[in-house]
Amino acid sequence: DTTFGILHSRFHELWSLRMCTWMGQGNDPRYTPTTCFETFPFPAGLTPAHTAHQRTETLPDGAVLPADLPAEVRASATPIARAAARLVALRETWLNPPEWTERVPEVVPLGMTTSPYPDRIVAKPGHEKDLAKRTLTNLYNQRPAWLAHAHETLDAAVAAAYGWADCSPAMPDEEILRRLLALNLVRAGA
């Protein structure tokens, strides 16, 4: 959830839109790992090199963060993980409302006792068309207040991990990009 949160923050979005490549007649942005991901300056201690071991810890509220983090890094990773888990839960409820959907257990592969796959989510009869309209694109195009608030909470947690106490939703994009570039250049020089 920590890495997911960082990658879904305003900071990574701005960086990606500045560093991406463009394609198509509409000149659409294309996320490329070499320009968007590999150059992005993650908060200290939370870079992919620090979290690549894939060992995780699940917090009592269900948020997941990298295991064995130093105390000071854990202190900044935990709010990000919690905000990201909350964002995922809110989006999931909007995408697949329980009153419109049911979960069907996935097939258990031969030789296994449980399925390693998530349950399939299928529309209840009469809700197929309703559910077809529930896409992330439609959600983000609508940008309801609860979604904007969840992202602001996530952004505040990521800003705190950077040590940017003065960061707010009103901070200009150019200032955020200036700070990220400065961090990128310091790390590149090291």
Side-chain angles (χ1 to χ4, degrees):
D1 289 330
T2 305
T3 302
F4 175 90
I6 294 166
L7 293 174
H8 282 77
S9 71
R10 175 182 179 202
F11 311 105
H12 187 67
E13 179 184 3
L14 291 172
W15 183 265
S16 298
L17 287 171
R18 184 58 58 96
M19 301 300 294
C20 69
T21 57
W22 299 86
M23 63 182 282
Q25 288 183 332
N27 207 17
D28 297 320
R30 183 177 69 168
Y31 188 97
T32 50
T34 53
T35 61
C36 298
F37 182 80
E38 293 174 13
T39 64
F40 181 70
F42 283 78
L46 295 174
T47 68
H50 292 106
T51 60
H53 53 71
Q54 300 296 316
R55 290 186 311 277
T56 60
E57 174 185 349
T58 302
L59 301 176
D61 62 5
V64 178
L65 58 130
D68 308 321
L69 291 173
E72 68 278 359
V73 175
R74 181 184 174 86
S76 62
T78 301
I80 297 171
R82 287 189 166 130
R86 177 78 177 134
L87 174 64
V88 168
L90 289 168
R91 291 186 339 181
E92 176 62 25
T93 300
W94 187 88
L95 289 167
N96 300 301
E99 62 274 14
W100 293 358
T101 60
E102 60 184 320
R103 294 181 180 273
V104 177
E106 199 45 88
V107 174
V108 177
L110 288 175
M112 299 181 85
T113 56
T114 59
S115 178
Y117 309 111
D119 292 343
R120 282 182 287 131
I121 299 171
V122 296
K124 290 181 179 176
H127 291 287
E128 297 85 357
K129 289 183 180 179
D130 299 325
L131 200 59
K133 296 175 187 172
R134 294 288 179 114
T135 66
L136 281 175
T137 299
N138 287 340
L139 174 61
Y140 277 86
N141 284 342
Q142 293 173 17
R143 192 94 174 172
W146 60 263
L147 180 63
H149 177 71
H151 273 282
E152 285 177 9
T153 302
L154 175 62
D155 292 344
V158 175
Y162 280 115
W164 299 348
D166 64 336
C167 190
S168 75
M171 181 176 277
D173 294 350
E174 290 306 316
E175 175 59 17
I176 291 170
L177 287 168
R178 186 193 65 72
R179 291 179 184 197
L180 290 172
L181 178 60
L183 185 54
N184 171 282
L185 293 173
V186 166
R187 290 185 182 167

